[in-house]
Amino acid sequence: EVQLVESGGGFVQPGGSLRLSCAASGFTFSSYVMTWVRQAPGKGLEWVSAISSGGSNTYYADSVKGRFTISRDPSKNTLYLQMDSLRDEDTAVYYCARGRALIAVLMPFDFWGQGAPVAVSS
Amino acid sequence: DIVLTQSPATLSVSPGERATLSCRASQSVSGKLAWYQQKPGQAPRLLIFAASTRATDIPARFSGSGSETEFTLTISSLQSEDFGVYYCQEYSNWPPRYTFGQGTKLEIK
């Protein structure tokens, strides 16, 4: 059974940092593109970042480029999102999700974690 | 960047009736269009990908159609558990943007 479990969410002041983790199980982690999607309170879905199956290629939404860093550790089957210079507008539930097909980058997301809440406020 | 516009914003349908949700893209997405269902407090669930292919374990009452810029999600006979917000998403752009529509809230009448 595919499982994605996020952790590391919490409360942080503007300008602060936070690192989210997503522990994956039930599939060959190193064979799939992984991604982060967020949802601000009462709002829709916003893609944040994606990383290729091997970890060598990363992609970011313009709203987080230069502030967030996605990475993955195949030895731990874990996906990360390092969030720096956080702003009020980064407040959201952050979901990790798996690309649907092996290796391919341009794919929808077929499995999602339960989400990690992040609150940025002074 | 591609913009996805969903309509209507809210749809109220009685059980057993058909629900039709629309998604319009600002430019062609070459059929790389997915639909998700999200219920309150839950993560989104993939329903349809490649415009018309049902994801694993998705009931046959859900169907997708369309190409280029106009897409439709149809629920043929609405069940009470089908309430929620439905999002379309494109995955055609390079570099990836994975743009989502703003969502359609489906209410059970």
Side-chain angles (χ1 to χ4, degrees), chain B residues 34 73 81 87:
Chain B
L73 174 70
E81 64 265 28
Y87 296 94

Side-chain angles (χ1 to χ4, degrees), chain A residues 33 37 39 43-47 50 59-60 62 65 95 100 105-110 112-114, chain B residues 1 32 34 36 38 42-46 49 87 89 91-98 100-102:
Chain A
V33 168
V37 176
Q39 186 168 37
K43 302 298 184 182
L45 302 170
E46 179 189 16
W47 171 73
Y59 312 93
Y60 298 94
D62 290 342
K65 196 174 297 183
Y95 296 100
R100 196 193 73 83
V105 175
L106 294 179
M107 276 290 160
F109 312 141
D110 60 351
W112 297 62
Q114 83 288 352
Chain B
D1 285 0
K32 294 185 185 294
Y36 298 84
Q38 187 181 33
Q42 296 185 17
R45 176 174 71 146
L46 178 65
F49 63 93
Y87 296 94
Q89 178 206 32
Y91 49 96
S92 69
N93 238 358
W94 193 267
R97 288 289 179 262
Y98 303 110
F100 289 92
Q102 83 279 17

Side-chain angles (χ1 to χ4, degrees), chain B residues 33 52 75 99:
Chain B
L33 194 285
S52 60
I75 309 172
T99 304

Side-chain angles (χ1 to χ4, degrees), chain A residues 24-46:
Chain A
S25 61
F27 65 101
T28 305
F29 179 70
S30 58
S31 294
Y32 289 84
V33 168
M34 297 297 295
T35 186
W36 290 96
V37 176
R38 69 184 180 183
Q39 186 168 37
K43 302 298 184 182
L45 302 170
E46 179 189 16

